[in-house]
Amino acid sequence: MTVLDGCILIVLGIASGIAVGSGVIALFIVLDMIPRLAQLTRSYDKAYAYEGAMIAGSFVGTVADLWNLKVYGLPIISIFVGLLCGIFIGLLAAALTEVLNVLPILAKRLGMKSYLFGLLMAMVFGKVAGSLFDWFVYTR
């Protein structure tokens, strides 16, 4: 690899990172996910902490993926971290769904207003079953 190839890779990497990061931040800003999460949890005073946690998590995740970092520890720690990651993804999906009002519109259009809770539970159990299948059967 020449110096020119290295410089081109650096510029492309930085440009790609800016593009992806801008897209994620635009998603959070346009959909008002952080303010809505603060509103749902009644923790308006912690909105800056939510924003800082999102930025720090994105940065740490990017660095860990880029350098292929691994953290070794007890299996119970992995279970705890996995639980926290699942809670985060669930809250993020709930905030996105809440902002877009997807479920009420879907239930109204399908004529399932009285079955909204069942529809939500079917989505939750479907996601859990799909994840368990992926972890324990498909990727084995």
Side-chain angles (χ1 to χ4, degrees):
M1 179 185 309
T2 66
V3 175
L4 180 63
D5 290 340
C7 290
I8 290 173
L9 285 176
I10 289 171
V11 169
L12 285 175
I14 291 172
S16 300
I18 289 172
V20 171
S22 298
V24 169
I25 296 303
L27 176 75
F28 291 150
I29 290 172
V30 167
L31 297 178
D32 285 335
M33 293 173 82
I34 302 286
R36 184 65 179 143
L37 182 62
Q39 180 184 10
L40 287 175
T41 58
R42 294 184 183 92
S43 57
Y44 302 103
D45 56 331
K46 305 230 180 348
Y48 289 117
Y50 292 148
E51 292 171 355
M54 299 277 282
I55 292 168
S58 296
F59 180 74
V60 168
T62 300
V63 168
D65 186 45
L66 182 65
W67 290 333
N68 200 20
L69 295 179
K70 293 182 174 89
V71 178
Y72 298 100
L74 298 174
I76 192 75
I77 295 172
S78 297
I79 292 170
F80 180 69
V81 170
L83 180 66
L84 290 179
C85 290
I87 290 171
F88 171 75
I89 296 297
L91 283 174
L92 195 61
L96 181 61
T97 309
E98 180 70 26
V99 168
L100 295 178
N101 292 325
V102 171
L103 292 180
I105 293 170
L106 180 67
K108 183 178 178 183
R109 290 200 179 165
L110 294 177
M112 299 178 65
K113 267 187 138 174
S114 60
Y115 302 108
L116 187 59
F117 181 73
L119 178 65
L120 180 63
M121 287 293 107
M123 291 171 66
V124 167
F125 290 131
K127 179 66 177 169
V128 169
S131 296
L132 290 174
F133 175 79
D134 183 53
W135 292 334
F136 295 123
V137 177
Y138 186 70
T139 58
R140 199 172 260 236

